[in-house]
Amino acid sequence: MAFTPKAVIAAPAQQKPTPARDLEVEIERAARFVRRHTIAAIYRAGSGHPGGALSCADILAALFGAELNLWPNTVADPDRDRFVLSKGHAAPALYAIGAHHGYCDATAALALRKIGSPFHGHPHVRDLPFVETSTGSLGQGFSVALGMAMGLKLRNSCARVYALLGDGELQEGEVWEAAMCAAHHKLDNFCAIIDYNKLQSDARNDAIMRLEPLSAKWRAFDWAVAEIDGHDIAALLRTFRRAGATRERPSVIIANTIKGKGVAYMENMPAWHGSVKLTRAQAEEALEGLGANRKEIREYLDGV
Amino acid sequence: MGSEAPALIGTSGDSLRESFGKALSELAREFPNLVVLDADIAGGTGVHHFRKSHPERFLQFGIAEQNMMAAAGGLAAVGMLPVVTTFAVFCLRAIEQARLSLAYSRRNAKIVASHPGLDVGPDGASAQALEDLAAFRAIPGMTVISPADPIETALATRAILEFDGPVYMRTGRSPAKRLFGADHRFEIGKGQVLRQGTDVTVVACGVEVARALEAAEQLASQDVAVRVVNMPTIKPIDTVLLARCAEETGCVVTAEDHNINGGLGGAVAEALAATRPCPIEFVGVRDVFGASGEPEELAVLFGIGSGGIVEAAKKAIARKRAA
Ligand SMILES: Cc1ncc(C[n+]2csc(CCOP(=O)(O)OP(=O)(O)O)c2C)c(N)n1
Ligand SMILES: [Mg+2]
């Protein structure tokens, strides 16, 4: 799929205006929104997984801001690009990027995990138009995405399929069944992104179940492999473009990230991996660190 | 401020999962072959206690439940006593491994599942196993257990280790009401009458036992005498007790945090159809998926709160009188 910037943004006054830099600035802004919204929603919910949502904020912002051939008015287009959040527990980040781009209402999405709200703890395809499949059981989203890529090829569609996986998720055998299958069927319309934050539920990957040598594993499965800094927007955009130009093979982007990125006290701290309850003070400190002012913090945490 | 450790959700000492995890640690000395299998969720299933007390007998499989389940068959085959632990919904993922490598192979292996039913709460439907009792009950030779409170969970943990054969046991995520004292007894295959009554029998398991007792209290004020039976073993079900209750009260209500199809209700209906048929009403999730929300809110929304049991009891009594 051709590289299609989504929005034309006025350049900030001091900066040398180049279209590429403008896009990166816009994506950084979106990622900051995702992080703030995620913190606010998890605080309001009283539970949720902040670490893995924060680590993939830049990846989601880059995908939705520049890469996916998808707009709020094309969510039912059979030839839209598909994005599958296989690591479904990062749902708050998906809802936030959806809200940022107008796929859902930002205030409504703050009702995360609440009874009657479509913003369930894990994404559900029947309750939100931009959720492509229900996830929350690690490994399965990747197989569903594989099926979409196969089906789209069969239908001669030029749409691409992107799946975001956690690194712990790679321990599921299903992931490697899907990986073998995608290479066998030469699904060059298929792109996996690994949120390689080195941590999973209980501890570091290497303490739970070693993943390395990770890129060698994917190469051995005959995927086109790129390993990048998953918080570097320019690198993300560049790598997506390269993946889009790869023929006859699926692509995987191993994105090195920091779990809890953007919230100083969470970064790389194992205690923040799982589902946690944020105190008022913790939520305020996190939002402050993400550049929100007093008024914005009140709106995020108390607004209706 | 933020640098303080986060408050973990629902790790109250009174949840069934925590009670199970502590009991397992205490029993380790008595069962030298006991090994505990985890798929990166020990903090949630309660076996973090065992990991701490007996790290050498704690086996980490990573996020790979199918491999873990079948590996338990291998561990049992060479004389270990494996206890597989994960969330109930991921036991469903590995159920074919449980069927072949544990049940069909008749291995002495135990599966202990936390986070069953709507009791999972805000994680939502994808994580709320409402099918596990039915699914595991359908496997030949599989014993299925769902204790009601922390004391009973600790007793059941001992009982399943003493028992020879494959077992599936549900614990629970949320803080649970204490229903039983230190003198409580648990025997696989046996139910108990917790409250006497002559108008209707409510047979419940898991979190629904506390709700059944509440419902009985509410109905007592309307001069309805409800008998409450705790039925922690869903398979093999206590047919003798069920037939006696059906005989003496003339109608039955079943209550479970599970789909109404195939779980406790199914087991009770099958047993009574063969022994003492009578009107039966089923309290459970009515063949739909759950949703996010707090467990008590969900219980009301899906009709498995004490109010749902009260309604079902009235219906059962009306049917009995009309017959
Ligand atoms: C099949 C399955 N097993 C277990 C879980 C429970 N679980 C939820 S998140 C998580 C850790 C995931 O780690 P990782 O994939 O690295 O995600 P991230 O670090 O990006 O949050 C686990 C074990 C699950 N959701 N699905
Ligand atoms: Mg991770």
Short mmCIF file of all heavy atoms in Angstrom, two decimals, chain A residues 46-47 113-115 120-122 135-138 140 168-169 171-172 174 200-202 208-209 265 271-272 275-277 281-282 285, chain B residues 1-9 38 40-43 51 60-66 90 93 122-123 126 291-293 297-298 301:
data_model
loop_
_atom_site.label_atom_id
_atom_site.label_comp_id
_atom_site.label_asym_id
_atom_site.label_seq_id
_atom_site.Cartn_x
_atom_site.Cartn_y
_atom_site.Cartn_z
N GLY A 46 -10.25 1.84 37.66
CA GLY A 46 -9.83 1.15 38.88
C GLY A 46 -9.07 -0.13 38.60
O GLY A 46 -8.70 -0.86 39.52
N SER A 47 -8.84 -0.43 37.31
CA SER A 47 -8.01 -1.58 36.95
C SER A 47 -7.63 -1.43 35.48
O SER A 47 -8.22 -0.64 34.75
CB SER A 47 -8.75 -2.90 37.18
OG SER A 47 -9.85 -3.04 36.29
N ARG A 113 -13.93 -0.32 30.81
CA ARG A 113 -14.19 -1.41 31.76
C ARG A 113 -15.45 -1.22 32.60
O ARG A 113 -15.69 -1.98 33.54
CB ARG A 113 -12.99 -1.59 32.72
CG ARG A 113 -11.74 -2.08 32.01
CD ARG A 113 -10.54 -2.14 32.91
NE ARG A 113 -9.55 -3.03 32.31
CZ ARG A 113 -9.20 -4.22 32.79
NH1 ARG A 113 -9.72 -4.65 33.92
NH2 ARG A 113 -8.34 -4.97 32.17
N LYS A 114 -16.25 -0.19 32.28
CA LYS A 114 -17.45 0.06 33.08
C LYS A 114 -18.63 -0.72 32.51
O LYS A 114 -18.71 -0.95 31.30
CB LYS A 114 -17.77 1.56 33.08
CG LYS A 114 -16.71 2.40 33.81
CD LYS A 114 -17.08 2.59 35.26
CE LYS A 114 -15.94 3.05 36.14
NZ LYS A 114 -15.35 4.32 35.85
N ILE A 115 -19.54 -1.05 33.38
CA ILE A 115 -20.71 -1.81 32.95
C ILE A 115 -21.51 -1.00 31.93
O ILE A 115 -21.69 0.21 32.08
CB ILE A 115 -21.55 -2.25 34.16
CG1 ILE A 115 -22.52 -3.35 33.76
CG2 ILE A 115 -22.26 -1.06 34.80
CD1 ILE A 115 -23.01 -4.19 34.92
N HIS A 120 -14.73 -2.39 26.57
CA HIS A 120 -14.46 -3.50 27.48
C HIS A 120 -12.98 -3.57 27.84
O HIS A 120 -12.14 -3.00 27.15
CB HIS A 120 -14.89 -4.82 26.84
CG HIS A 120 -16.33 -4.86 26.46
ND1 HIS A 120 -17.33 -5.00 27.40
CD2 HIS A 120 -16.94 -4.76 25.26
CE1 HIS A 120 -18.51 -4.99 26.77
NE2 HIS A 120 -18.30 -4.85 25.48
N GLY A 121 -12.69 -4.37 28.86
CA GLY A 121 -11.31 -4.57 29.28
C GLY A 121 -10.44 -5.07 28.14
O GLY A 121 -9.25 -4.79 28.07
N HIS A 122 -11.03 -5.85 27.24
CA HIS A 122 -10.34 -6.31 26.03
C HIS A 122 -11.24 -5.99 24.84
O HIS A 122 -12.46 -6.04 24.96
CB HIS A 122 -10.04 -7.81 26.12
CG HIS A 122 -9.08 -8.15 27.23
ND1 HIS A 122 -9.50 -8.34 28.53
CD2 HIS A 122 -7.74 -8.29 27.25
CE1 HIS A 122 -8.44 -8.59 29.30
NE2 HIS A 122 -7.36 -8.58 28.55
N THR A 135 -10.09 -9.79 21.02
CA THR A 135 -8.83 -10.36 21.49
C THR A 135 -8.79 -10.35 23.02
O THR A 135 -9.73 -9.91 23.67
CB THR A 135 -7.61 -9.61 20.92
OG1 THR A 135 -7.77 -8.22 21.19
CG2 THR A 135 -7.46 -9.84 19.44
N GLY A 136 -7.70 -10.86 23.57
CA GLY A 136 -7.58 -10.96 25.02
C GLY A 136 -6.99 -12.31 25.40
O GLY A 136 -6.49 -12.50 26.50
N SER A 137 -7.05 -13.26 24.48
CA SER A 137 -6.38 -14.54 24.65
C SER A 137 -5.16 -14.49 23.73
O SER A 137 -5.30 -14.50 22.50
CB SER A 137 -7.31 -15.68 24.27
OG SER A 137 -6.66 -16.92 24.48
N LEU A 138 -3.99 -14.37 24.32
CA LEU A 138 -2.78 -14.08 23.56
C LEU A 138 -2.54 -15.13 22.48
O LEU A 138 -2.74 -16.32 22.70
CB LEU A 138 -1.58 -13.97 24.50
CG LEU A 138 -1.68 -12.80 25.49
CD1 LEU A 138 -0.63 -12.91 26.59
CD2 LEU A 138 -1.56 -11.47 24.77
N GLN A 140 -4.16 -15.52 19.65
CA GLN A 140 -5.28 -15.74 18.73
C GLN A 140 -5.46 -14.63 17.73
O GLN A 140 -5.81 -14.87 16.57
CB GLN A 140 -6.59 -15.93 19.50
CG GLN A 140 -6.68 -17.29 20.14
CD GLN A 140 -8.11 -17.63 20.55
OE1 GLN A 140 -9.04 -17.42 19.79
NE2 GLN A 140 -8.26 -18.15 21.75
N GLY A 168 5.89 -11.36 25.35
CA GLY A 168 5.46 -12.55 26.09
C GLY A 168 4.50 -13.40 25.27
O GLY A 168 4.53 -14.63 25.31
N GLU A 169 3.69 -12.72 24.48
CA GLU A 169 2.72 -13.41 23.63
C GLU A 169 3.41 -14.39 22.68
O GLU A 169 2.83 -15.41 22.30
CB GLU A 169 1.92 -12.37 22.83
CG GLU A 169 0.88 -12.97 21.90
CD GLU A 169 -0.02 -11.93 21.24
OE1 GLU A 169 0.29 -10.73 21.31
OE2 GLU A 169 -1.04 -12.35 20.67
N GLN A 171 5.42 -16.50 23.24
CA GLN A 171 5.63 -17.83 23.84
C GLN A 171 4.50 -18.80 23.48
O GLN A 171 4.66 -20.00 23.61
CB GLN A 171 5.75 -17.68 25.37
CG GLN A 171 7.04 -16.98 25.75
CD GLN A 171 7.00 -16.32 27.12
OE1 GLN A 171 5.99 -16.35 27.80
NE2 GLN A 171 8.11 -15.72 27.50
N GLU A 172 3.37 -18.26 23.02
CA GLU A 172 2.28 -19.13 22.60
C GLU A 172 2.70 -19.88 21.32
O GLU A 172 3.11 -19.25 20.33
CB GLU A 172 1.00 -18.33 22.31
CG GLU A 172 0.26 -17.85 23.54
CD GLU A 172 -0.41 -18.97 24.35
OE1 GLU A 172 -0.42 -20.14 23.90
OE2 GLU A 172 -0.93 -18.66 25.43
N GLU A 174 0.86 -21.05 19.14
CA GLU A 174 0.00 -20.60 18.05
C GLU A 174 0.67 -19.53 17.19
O GLU A 174 0.47 -19.49 15.97
CB GLU A 174 -1.31 -20.05 18.65
CG GLU A 174 -2.27 -19.51 17.61
CD GLU A 174 -3.61 -19.12 18.20
OE1 GLU A 174 -3.74 -19.03 19.44
OE2 GLU A 174 -4.55 -18.90 17.41
N GLN A 200 6.89 -9.21 30.75
CA GLN A 200 5.56 -9.77 30.58
C GLN A 200 4.79 -9.66 31.88
O GLN A 200 4.94 -8.67 32.58
CB GLN A 200 5.63 -11.17 29.98
CG GLN A 200 6.62 -12.11 30.62
CD GLN A 200 6.82 -13.33 29.74
OE1 GLN A 200 7.78 -13.42 29.02
NE2 GLN A 200 5.88 -14.27 29.81
N SER A 201 3.97 -10.66 32.23
CA SER A 201 3.07 -10.46 33.36
C SER A 201 3.84 -10.45 34.68
O SER A 201 3.71 -9.55 35.49
CB SER A 201 2.03 -11.58 33.36
OG SER A 201 0.90 -11.17 34.05
N ASP A 202 4.64 -11.46 34.89
CA ASP A 202 5.24 -11.65 36.21
C ASP A 202 6.68 -11.18 36.32
O ASP A 202 7.18 -10.99 37.41
CB ASP A 202 5.18 -13.15 36.57
CG ASP A 202 4.08 -13.43 37.58
OD1 ASP A 202 3.46 -12.46 38.05
OD2 ASP A 202 3.85 -14.61 37.89
N ILE A 208 11.14 -15.64 32.53
CA ILE A 208 9.95 -16.49 32.37
C ILE A 208 10.20 -17.57 31.31
O ILE A 208 10.06 -18.77 31.56
CB ILE A 208 8.73 -15.63 31.97
CG1 ILE A 208 8.39 -14.62 33.08
CG2 ILE A 208 7.52 -16.50 31.64
CD1 ILE A 208 7.76 -15.19 34.32
N MET A 209 10.55 -17.13 30.11
CA MET A 209 10.79 -18.07 29.00
C MET A 209 11.55 -17.30 27.93
O MET A 209 11.01 -16.40 27.31
CB MET A 209 9.45 -18.59 28.45
CG MET A 209 9.54 -19.69 27.44
SD MET A 209 10.34 -21.20 28.02
CE MET A 209 9.35 -21.61 29.48
N TYR A 265 7.83 6.70 36.72
CA TYR A 265 7.88 5.69 37.78
C TYR A 265 7.44 4.30 37.30
O TYR A 265 7.60 3.32 38.02
CB TYR A 265 7.07 6.13 39.00
CG TYR A 265 5.58 6.31 38.79
CD1 TYR A 265 4.71 5.23 38.85
CD2 TYR A 265 5.04 7.57 38.54
CE1 TYR A 265 3.35 5.39 38.67
CE2 TYR A 265 3.68 7.75 38.36
CZ TYR A 265 2.85 6.65 38.42
OH TYR A 265 1.50 6.82 38.24
N ALA A 271 6.64 -4.09 38.56
CA ALA A 271 5.37 -4.05 39.30
C ALA A 271 4.23 -3.46 38.48
O ALA A 271 3.06 -3.69 38.80
CB ALA A 271 5.55 -3.26 40.58
N TRP A 272 4.54 -2.71 37.43
CA TRP A 272 3.47 -2.06 36.66
C TRP A 272 3.07 -2.84 35.41
O TRP A 272 2.42 -2.31 34.52
CB TRP A 272 3.91 -0.63 36.28
CG TRP A 272 4.03 0.23 37.49
CD1 TRP A 272 5.17 0.51 38.18
CD2 TRP A 272 2.97 0.89 38.19
NE1 TRP A 272 4.89 1.31 39.26
CE2 TRP A 272 3.54 1.56 39.28
CE3 TRP A 272 1.58 0.98 38.00
CZ2 TRP A 272 2.79 2.31 40.19
CZ3 TRP A 272 0.84 1.74 38.89
CH2 TRP A 272 1.44 2.38 39.97
N SER A 275 -2.41 -5.96 35.62
CA SER A 275 -3.57 -5.11 35.86
C SER A 275 -3.41 -4.47 37.23
O SER A 275 -3.21 -5.16 38.22
CB SER A 275 -4.85 -5.95 35.81
OG SER A 275 -5.97 -5.10 35.89
N VAL A 276 -3.44 -3.13 37.26
CA VAL A 276 -3.19 -2.41 38.52
C VAL A 276 -4.28 -1.37 38.75
O VAL A 276 -5.03 -1.01 37.85
CB VAL A 276 -1.82 -1.68 38.48
CG1 VAL A 276 -0.68 -2.68 38.41
CG2 VAL A 276 -1.75 -0.71 37.33
N LYS A 277 -4.31 -0.91 39.99
CA LYS A 277 -5.22 0.18 40.35
C LYS A 277 -4.34 1.41 40.58
O LYS A 277 -3.39 1.37 41.35
CB LYS A 277 -5.91 -0.22 41.66
CG LYS A 277 -7.06 0.65 42.07
CD LYS A 277 -7.62 0.08 43.39
CE LYS A 277 -8.67 0.99 43.98
NZ LYS A 277 -9.94 0.92 43.25
N ALA A 281 -2.97 10.18 43.32
CA ALA A 281 -1.65 10.81 43.27
C ALA A 281 -0.83 10.24 42.12
O ALA A 281 -0.14 10.98 41.41
CB ALA A 281 -0.93 10.62 44.60
N GLN A 282 -0.92 8.94 41.94
CA GLN A 282 -0.16 8.32 40.85
C GLN A 282 -0.66 8.79 39.49
O GLN A 282 0.13 9.09 38.59
CB GLN A 282 -0.26 6.78 40.95
CG GLN A 282 0.59 6.21 42.08
CD GLN A 282 0.19 4.79 42.45
OE1 GLN A 282 -0.90 4.33 42.12
NE2 GLN A 282 1.09 4.11 43.14
N GLU A 285 0.50 12.40 38.97
CA GLU A 285 1.94 12.47 38.69
C GLU A 285 2.22 12.02 37.25
O GLU A 285 3.02 12.63 36.55
CB GLU A 285 2.69 11.57 39.68
CG GLU A 285 4.21 11.69 39.55
CD GLU A 285 4.96 10.80 40.54
OE1 GLU A 285 4.38 10.44 41.59
OE2 GLU A 285 6.12 10.46 40.24
N MET B 1 5.04 8.95 46.19
CA MET B 1 3.92 9.04 45.23
C MET B 1 3.95 7.87 44.27
O MET B 1 3.81 6.73 44.66
CB MET B 1 4.02 10.35 44.43
CG MET B 1 3.61 11.58 45.20
SD MET B 1 2.12 12.33 44.55
CE MET B 1 2.70 13.14 43.08
N GLY B 2 4.20 8.19 43.01
CA GLY B 2 4.13 7.15 41.99
C GLY B 2 5.11 6.02 42.20
O GLY B 2 4.86 4.90 41.78
N SER B 3 6.22 6.33 42.85
CA SER B 3 7.24 5.29 42.99
C SER B 3 6.80 4.18 43.94
O SER B 3 7.41 3.13 43.98
CB SER B 3 8.54 5.91 43.47
OG SER B 3 8.29 6.75 44.56
N GLU B 4 5.73 4.44 44.69
CA GLU B 4 5.18 3.35 45.51
C GLU B 4 4.70 2.22 44.62
O GLU B 4 4.27 2.46 43.50
CB GLU B 4 3.95 3.84 46.29
CG GLU B 4 4.29 4.58 47.56
CD GLU B 4 3.06 5.29 48.08
OE1 GLU B 4 1.95 4.77 47.90
OE2 GLU B 4 3.23 6.38 48.66
N ALA B 5 4.76 1.01 45.15
CA ALA B 5 4.29 -0.13 44.36
C ALA B 5 2.80 0.03 44.09
O ALA B 5 2.07 0.57 44.91
CB ALA B 5 4.55 -1.42 45.11
N PRO B 6 2.34 -0.41 42.91
CA PRO B 6 0.92 -0.29 42.60
C PRO B 6 0.08 -1.23 43.45
O PRO B 6 0.57 -2.28 43.87
CB PRO B 6 0.85 -0.71 41.13
CG PRO B 6 2.02 -1.60 40.94
CD PRO B 6 3.09 -1.07 41.84
N ALA B 7 -1.16 -0.82 43.68
CA ALA B 7 -2.08 -1.71 44.38
C ALA B 7 -2.55 -2.75 43.38
O ALA B 7 -3.07 -2.41 42.33
CB ALA B 7 -3.26 -0.90 44.89
N LEU B 8 -2.31 -4.02 43.68
CA LEU B 8 -2.79 -5.06 42.78
C LEU B 8 -4.29 -5.25 43.00
O LEU B 8 -4.81 -4.97 44.06
CB LEU B 8 -2.03 -6.36 43.00
CG LEU B 8 -0.61 -6.30 42.44
CD1 LEU B 8 0.21 -7.46 42.94
CD2 LEU B 8 -0.62 -6.28 40.92
N ILE B 9 -4.94 -5.72 41.94
CA ILE B 9 -6.39 -5.80 41.97
C ILE B 9 -6.83 -7.11 42.62
O ILE B 9 -6.40 -8.18 42.23
CB ILE B 9 -6.97 -5.77 40.54
CG1 ILE B 9 -6.32 -4.66 39.72
CG2 ILE B 9 -8.47 -5.63 40.57
CD1 ILE B 9 -6.53 -3.30 40.23
N ASP B 38 2.97 -23.24 35.93
CA ASP B 38 2.44 -21.88 35.75
C ASP B 38 2.74 -21.41 34.34
O ASP B 38 3.75 -21.77 33.74
CB ASP B 38 3.10 -20.94 36.77
CG ASP B 38 2.79 -19.47 36.50
OD1 ASP B 38 1.61 -19.16 36.23
OD2 ASP B 38 3.72 -18.64 36.56
N ASP B 40 3.01 -17.93 33.37
CA ASP B 40 3.21 -16.48 33.56
C ASP B 40 2.00 -15.77 34.17
O ASP B 40 1.64 -14.68 33.75
CB ASP B 40 3.59 -15.80 32.23
CG ASP B 40 3.97 -14.33 32.42
OD1 ASP B 40 4.49 -13.98 33.49
OD2 ASP B 40 3.70 -13.53 31.50
N ILE B 41 1.37 -16.42 35.15
CA ILE B 41 0.21 -15.76 35.73
C ILE B 41 0.09 -16.12 37.22
O ILE B 41 -0.96 -16.00 37.83
CB ILE B 41 -1.05 -16.13 34.88
CG1 ILE B 41 -2.11 -15.03 34.93
CG2 ILE B 41 -1.61 -17.49 35.21
CD1 ILE B 41 -1.78 -13.87 34.06
N ALA B 42 1.25 -16.51 37.80
CA ALA B 42 1.27 -16.96 39.20
C ALA B 42 0.73 -15.89 40.15
O ALA B 42 0.10 -16.22 41.15
CB ALA B 42 2.70 -17.34 39.60
N GLY B 43 0.97 -14.62 39.82
CA GLY B 43 0.46 -13.55 40.67
C GLY B 43 -1.05 -13.55 40.71
O GLY B 43 -1.66 -13.10 41.69
N ARG B 51 5.51 -20.50 44.65
CA ARG B 51 6.77 -20.13 43.98
C ARG B 51 7.79 -19.65 45.02
O ARG B 51 8.97 -19.94 44.94
CB ARG B 51 6.50 -19.04 42.96
CG ARG B 51 7.76 -18.54 42.25
CD ARG B 51 7.44 -17.49 41.21
NE ARG B 51 6.75 -16.35 41.81
CZ ARG B 51 6.15 -15.40 41.11
NH1 ARG B 51 6.12 -15.46 39.80
NH2 ARG B 51 5.54 -14.39 41.71
N GLN B 60 7.93 -23.10 35.42
CA GLN B 60 7.46 -21.98 34.60
C GLN B 60 7.41 -22.41 33.13
O GLN B 60 8.43 -22.81 32.57
CB GLN B 60 8.41 -20.80 34.77
CG GLN B 60 8.05 -19.58 33.96
CD GLN B 60 6.65 -19.08 34.25
OE1 GLN B 60 5.71 -19.34 33.49
NE2 GLN B 60 6.49 -18.38 35.37
N PHE B 61 6.24 -22.32 32.52
CA PHE B 61 6.09 -22.71 31.11
C PHE B 61 5.98 -21.51 30.17
O PHE B 61 5.89 -21.70 28.95
CB PHE B 61 4.87 -23.63 30.95
CG PHE B 61 5.17 -25.04 31.36
CD1 PHE B 61 5.19 -25.39 32.71
CD2 PHE B 61 5.49 -26.00 30.43
CE1 PHE B 61 5.52 -26.69 33.10
CE2 PHE B 61 5.82 -27.30 30.81
CZ PHE B 61 5.84 -27.64 32.15
N GLY B 62 5.97 -20.29 30.72
CA GLY B 62 5.74 -19.15 29.85
C GLY B 62 4.28 -19.12 29.42
O GLY B 62 3.47 -19.95 29.85
N ILE B 63 3.94 -18.16 28.57
CA ILE B 63 2.54 -18.01 28.15
C ILE B 63 2.27 -19.06 27.07
O ILE B 63 2.33 -18.79 25.87
CB ILE B 63 2.26 -16.59 27.64
CG1 ILE B 63 2.75 -15.55 28.66
CG2 ILE B 63 0.76 -16.40 27.39
CD1 ILE B 63 2.68 -14.12 28.16
N ALA B 64 2.04 -20.29 27.49
CA ALA B 64 1.92 -21.42 26.55
C ALA B 64 1.13 -22.52 27.25
O ALA B 64 1.67 -23.52 27.71
CB ALA B 64 3.30 -21.89 26.14
N GLU B 65 -0.19 -22.33 27.34
CA GLU B 65 -1.02 -23.20 28.17
C GLU B 65 -1.17 -24.61 27.61
O GLU B 65 -1.29 -25.57 28.36
CB GLU B 65 -2.41 -22.56 28.35
CG GLU B 65 -2.39 -21.24 29.12
CD GLU B 65 -1.99 -20.04 28.27
OE1 GLU B 65 -1.85 -20.19 27.04
OE2 GLU B 65 -1.80 -18.95 28.85
N GLN B 66 -1.20 -24.72 26.28
CA GLN B 66 -1.40 -26.05 25.70
C GLN B 66 -0.19 -26.94 25.99
O GLN B 66 -0.33 -28.10 26.38
CB GLN B 66 -1.62 -25.93 24.19
CG GLN B 66 -2.95 -25.30 23.86
CD GLN B 66 -2.94 -24.67 22.49
OE1 GLN B 66 -2.47 -23.55 22.30
NE2 GLN B 66 -3.46 -25.38 21.52
N PHE B 90 -8.26 -20.00 29.92
CA PHE B 90 -7.13 -20.59 29.19
C PHE B 90 -7.05 -22.10 29.39
O PHE B 90 -6.35 -22.79 28.65
CB PHE B 90 -5.83 -19.87 29.56
CG PHE B 90 -5.94 -18.39 29.37
CD1 PHE B 90 -5.57 -17.51 30.37
CD2 PHE B 90 -6.46 -17.86 28.19
CE1 PHE B 90 -5.70 -16.14 30.20
CE2 PHE B 90 -6.60 -16.49 28.02
CZ PHE B 90 -6.22 -15.62 29.03
N ARG B 93 -8.70 -23.23 26.41
CA ARG B 93 -7.77 -23.23 25.28
C ARG B 93 -7.01 -24.56 25.21
O ARG B 93 -6.71 -25.05 24.13
CB ARG B 93 -6.78 -22.08 25.47
CG ARG B 93 -5.81 -21.94 24.36
CD ARG B 93 -4.76 -20.88 24.70
NE ARG B 93 -3.97 -20.59 23.54
CZ ARG B 93 -3.91 -19.40 22.94
NH1 ARG B 93 -4.58 -18.38 23.41
NH2 ARG B 93 -3.16 -19.24 21.88
N PRO B 122 -14.07 -6.61 35.49
CA PRO B 122 -13.78 -5.61 34.45
C PRO B 122 -12.94 -6.08 33.27
O PRO B 122 -12.94 -5.44 32.23
CB PRO B 122 -13.06 -4.49 35.21
CG PRO B 122 -12.81 -4.97 36.59
CD PRO B 122 -13.66 -6.16 36.84
N ASP B 123 -12.20 -7.17 33.39
CA ASP B 123 -11.45 -7.68 32.24
C ASP B 123 -12.38 -8.00 31.07
O ASP B 123 -11.96 -8.01 29.92
CB ASP B 123 -10.66 -8.95 32.61
CG ASP B 123 -9.27 -8.61 33.15
OD1 ASP B 123 -8.89 -7.43 33.11
OD2 ASP B 123 -8.58 -9.53 33.61
N SER B 126 -14.06 -11.68 27.25
CA SER B 126 -13.04 -12.56 26.67
C SER B 126 -12.38 -13.37 27.78
O SER B 126 -11.91 -14.48 27.54
CB SER B 126 -12.01 -11.76 25.87
OG SER B 126 -11.07 -11.14 26.71
N ALA B 291 -19.64 -9.35 30.08
CA ALA B 291 -19.27 -7.98 29.72
C ALA B 291 -18.36 -7.45 30.81
O ALA B 291 -18.22 -8.07 31.86
CB ALA B 291 -20.52 -7.10 29.60
N SER B 292 -17.77 -6.27 30.56
CA SER B 292 -16.99 -5.63 31.61
C SER B 292 -17.92 -5.02 32.66
O SER B 292 -19.03 -4.62 32.34
CB SER B 292 -16.10 -4.53 31.02
OG SER B 292 -14.98 -5.10 30.38
N GLY B 293 -17.43 -4.93 33.88
CA GLY B 293 -18.20 -4.35 34.97
C GLY B 293 -17.72 -4.97 36.27
O GLY B 293 -16.91 -5.91 36.24
N GLU B 297 -22.25 -5.88 40.05
CA GLU B 297 -23.10 -5.24 39.02
C GLU B 297 -23.47 -6.26 37.94
O GLU B 297 -24.62 -6.31 37.48
CB GLU B 297 -22.34 -4.11 38.32
CG GLU B 297 -21.94 -2.94 39.17
CD GLU B 297 -21.05 -1.96 38.38
OE1 GLU B 297 -20.31 -2.37 37.45
OE2 GLU B 297 -21.10 -0.78 38.70
N LEU B 298 -22.49 -7.03 37.53
CA LEU B 298 -22.73 -8.02 36.48
C LEU B 298 -23.71 -9.09 36.96
O LEU B 298 -24.56 -9.56 36.19
CB LEU B 298 -21.41 -8.68 36.05
CG LEU B 298 -20.40 -7.76 35.34
CD1 LEU B 298 -19.05 -8.44 35.18
CD2 LEU B 298 -20.94 -7.32 33.98
N LEU B 301 -27.06 -7.61 36.52
CA LEU B 301 -27.39 -7.45 35.10
C LEU B 301 -27.72 -8.79 34.44
O LEU B 301 -28.63 -8.89 33.62
CB LEU B 301 -26.21 -6.78 34.38
CG LEU B 301 -26.42 -6.47 32.90
CD1 LEU B 301 -27.48 -5.40 32.71
CD2 LEU B 301 -25.11 -6.02 32.25
#
